[in-house]
Amino acid sequence: MNKNRLLVLICEPFQWIQMLCHELNTSFVLGVVIVYGFNQGFSGSLFRVVSDYYWKDVQKIQPSTVQLYVGFYYIPWIMKPVWGLLTDIFTVNGYHRRPYFVISGILGVISALSVALVNVQFMPVIMALICLIGVTASMAIADVTIDACIAKNSIQMPSLASDMQSLCGFCTSVGALIGFSTSGMFVHQLGAKGALGLLALAPTLLIMLGFFIYELRSNRPSNQKATMEKVGGAMNGMCKTIKYPQVWKPSLYMYLSLALSISTHEGQFYWYTDPKAGPAFSQEFVGMIYAIGAVASIAGVLIYHKLLKDYYSFRKLLFFAQLLYGFSGMLDLSFVLRWNLKLGIPDYFFVIFEECVARIVSRIKWMPMIVLSTKLCPLGIEGTFFALLMCIDSLGQLSAKWSGGLVLHLFHVTRSDFTNLWLVMLIKTALRFATLALIFLVPKADQYEVLVPPDLLKGENLMNTEEEEGETIQLIAMNEKMEGMEGSSLRER
């Protein structure tokens, strides 16, 4: 009996993936794995650790200044509505998607190799920052296409909206696990500059994806007037939608909840690795901390998918998630004050416990927010509007980074002085609890309910023509591609 139960548990994830492939198309699932797993998960986690060491050990920048620089990483993500309009409206040789995968891949490869291979004497801070922003821009441009597919599928199949976000979260977490667990080793063996060169691997996959992805080519000649009408229709549609109370209230909550959760990551990172004031964690152990956190993030996805998505409304779930998020901040404060040592808990054990709690709670908090975002997208401009909502989230994260850097600067937290770091952590924790007062902005609706009327933008001049609505992107073998070009019908995503 126990063997049968174990077999069921082992087979269940594969059956779930098979169900998603059947309902959503295998190409969609593969696209999520490539973009979320390899590009954002692996490359994003490696980027986070390696870039921290690059600024600290190679460029020797103060933590508050690094917080300012890291904030610029979010600018390509803030520009997601621009990428959305480009990929939805402006074709290259009749294709909407394939060229932008190639462009994003080339941008990522050039940016990563430039900062890795050019001698630091010839790589001033501003040039290094531009290259690292280029890496994040590569991730953002590739991400926007998958986001559009997710938003459209969420509208057409609302019962699978949570499953799609679970798939995205799972792929990101698995990729992050691999990236974090190897990042410390790469920094130790290759140095921070050398390890940055590995960031060219994921963009290379994007270039290959752009050549092998199958997309229905548009045979309509380019019409500048029609294109501008589509842009105008999309802009009008976004303005009309964002004014809808069921849309702007939760959007405001998502921004404020992220902005008020000020980031003090760089100050904590410098303290982690300081041999005098902090616990002096090694490069390998720093990577291992984040790797274990990635496993905890997977656990957070499973908790949400199995226990929360079907039983709690958006408001109730986000309230308790934010409450737990505040308590997790108290663990950070306790660690900086070294209360763990007074209780006889070693630094290595406590920081792993702290990271696991923080990542589980963060994932449980983030998942319903993304599901809610897909529910706020109107049919017709779902890709561009979802990009707008992600832009709002990125603005919140940018605000959190810069405000956190300002607080670190005001309390004189430097490369060697961490006297007031505990005060910074106290302020961060207090702001997390203060966010609970804004929960009234979140709708009480269940996660399967429709929040935006399907006919909200009826009569607007939108982007999607009948030809574009039938467009399907598939990853297929070359022989299948030739059959498709000869006239085989394409399945809906």
Side-chain angles (χ1 to χ4, degrees):
M1 189 68 178
N2 291 333
K3 290 184 179 180
N4 291 335
R5 185 174 298 177
L6 179 62
L7 184 62
V8 170
L9 289 175
I10 294 174
C11 294
E12 186 175 355
F14 297 99
Q15 292 172 349
W16 178 63
I17 294 291
Q18 186 178 17
M19 180 274 293
L20 291 177
C21 291
H22 179 265
E23 296 292 335
L24 301 171
N25 194 306
T26 304
S27 64
F28 173 79
V29 176
L30 288 175
V32 169
V33 171
I34 291 171
V35 177
Y36 277 87
F38 287 94
N39 193 49
Q40 294 188 39
F42 173 77
S43 189
S45 59
L46 186 67
F47 176 83
R48 177 181 173 183
V49 176
V50 174
S51 63
D52 280 344
Y53 277 105
Y54 177 78
W55 292 121
K56 178 177 179 288
D57 297 335
V58 179
Q59 296 287 356
K60 301 186 184 302
I61 307 295
Q62 295 290 353
S64 58
T65 306
V66 176
Q67 287 267 167
L68 174 66
Y69 291 164
V70 171
F72 285 106
Y73 297 166
Y74 291 97
I75 289 185
W77 296 94
I78 292 172
M79 294 177 64
K80 282 187 71 172
V82 177
W83 313 137
L85 283 172
L86 287 174
T87 58
D88 282 343
I89 297 177
F90 296 96
T91 62
V92 178
N93 197 28
Y95 292 105
H96 283 278
R97 317 298 182 188
R98 295 176 66 176
Y100 293 99
F101 277 114
V102 176
I103 291 170
S104 66
I106 292 174
L107 176 61
V109 169
I110 293 175
S111 299
L113 293 181
S114 296
V115 73
L117 299 178
V118 177
N119 193 297
V120 69
Q121 296 177 348
F122 303 100
M123 178 64 70
V125 171
I126 186 64
M127 288 302 299
L129 179 60
I130 290 173
C131 288
L132 294 180
I133 293 174
V135 174
T136 62
S138 172
M139 297 179 189
I141 295 171
D143 171 77
V144 75
T145 302
I146 295 298
D147 281 348
C149 297
I150 292 170
K152 185 172 183 179
N153 285 334
S154 296
I155 293 170
Q156 294 178 342
M157 289 170 281
S159 62
L160 293 177
S162 299
D163 292 273
M164 282 183 273
Q165 294 306 323
S166 297
L167 176 65
C168 295
F170 180 77
C171 292
T172 304
S173 297
V174 171
L177 171 61
I178 299 172
F180 281 135
S181 60
T182 57
S183 59
M185 178 190 67
F186 288 139
V187 172
H188 182 75
Q189 297 294 330
L190 305 175
K193 281 181 84 278
L196 282 172
L198 296 175
L199 295 174
L201 294 176
T204 301
L205 290 177
L206 292 177
I207 296 174
M208 296 173 62
L209 178 63
F211 281 107
F212 287 100
I213 199 170
Y214 179 73
E215 177 182 2
L216 184 65
R217 183 177 180 180
S218 174
N219 294 320
R220 291 189 177 186
S222 178
N223 187 320
Q224 185 176 4
K225 181 179 179 181
T227 299
M228 295 310 298
E229 288 179 354
K230 291 179 182 179
V231 174
M235 298 298 292
N236 291 334
M238 286 193 294
C239 291
K240 183 176 180 179
T241 304
I242 202 68
K243 293 177 182 178
Y244 193 61
Q246 288 289 86
V247 175
W248 73 259
K249 287 183 178 181
S251 300
L252 178 61
Y253 173 82
M254 287 187 282
Y255 168 77
L256 292 175
S257 67
L258 292 169
L260 291 176
S261 299
I262 64 171
S263 173
T264 58
H265 170 74
E266 306 306 327
Q268 291 173 266
F269 172 75
Y270 278 53
W271 180 76
Y272 280 166
T273 56
D274 190 90
K276 296 181 180 179
F281 293 142
S282 66
Q283 295 166 341
E284 290 85 354
F285 187 72
V286 169
M288 191 56 61
I289 292 171
Y290 296 142
I292 295 173
V295 176
S297 184
I298 296 174
V301 173
L302 294 175
I303 291 171
Y304 169 78
H305 181 72
K306 287 291 188 181
L307 304 176
L308 302 176
K309 71 182 180 69
D310 296 326
Y311 307 106
Y312 297 95
S313 66
F314 283 114
R315 181 179 295 185
K316 182 178 291 186
L317 182 54
L318 287 173
F319 174 82
F320 286 108
Q322 186 65 37
L323 184 63
L324 292 173
Y325 195 53
F327 283 117
S328 70
M330 296 179 67
L331 292 176
D332 294 332
L333 176 62
S334 301
F335 190 39
V336 171
L337 291 172
R338 310 312 295 273
W339 288 350
N340 61 297
L341 296 180
K342 295 179 181 179
L343 296 172
I345 304 174
D347 288 336
Y348 290 89
F349 178 82
F350 191 85
V351 73
I352 289 175
F353 174 74
E354 171 202 359
E355 180 72 9
C356 288
V357 171
R359 294 294 287 273
I360 290 174
V361 173
S362 296
R363 184 60 68 178
I364 293 174
K365 176 176 179 282
W366 181 248
M367 295 290 288
M369 289 176 65
I370 297 297
V371 175
L372 179 58
S373 296
T374 64
K375 296 286 187 178
L376 302 179
C377 298
L379 191 61
I381 56 169
E382 60 278 354
T384 305
F385 197 79
F386 187 80
L388 174 65
L389 295 177
M390 293 301 97
C391 163
I392 293 172
D393 288 349
S394 297
L395 277 173
Q397 293 171 322
L398 172 63
S399 302
K401 280 290 183 183
W402 282 355
S403 58
L406 177 61
V407 174
L408 288 170
H409 178 74
L410 291 176
F411 284 88
H412 307 289
V413 177
T414 66
R415 291 172 56 88
S416 56
D417 186 1
F418 303 95
T419 305
N420 295 325
L421 182 59
W422 72 274
L423 285 172
V424 176
M425 307 306 294
L426 180 62
I427 293 172
K428 181 178 77 170
T429 302
L431 288 173
R432 288 184 179 184
F433 283 113
T435 306
L436 291 169
L438 303 172
I439 199 66
F440 70 92
L441 294 170
V442 179
K444 295 181 179 180
D446 291 332
Q447 297 184 54
Y448 292 117
E449 291 186 28
V450 176
L451 300 180
V452 176
D455 59 347
L456 178 65
L457 300 182
K458 187 176 181 179
E460 297 285 343
N461 183 20
L462 301 178
M463 294 177 289
N464 295 339
T465 63
E466 291 181 2
E467 178 182 347
E468 290 167 334
E469 286 176 358
E471 178 184 290
T472 301
I473 299 175
Q474 300 185 63
L475 289 173
I476 58 174
M478 290 303 295
N479 60 336
E480 292 174 324
K481 177 180 177 181
M482 294 303 297
E483 291 176 3
M485 294 177 66
E486 290 173 1
S488 63
S489 62
L490 300 176
R491 291 179 296 175
E492 287 294 325
R493 285 177 295 191

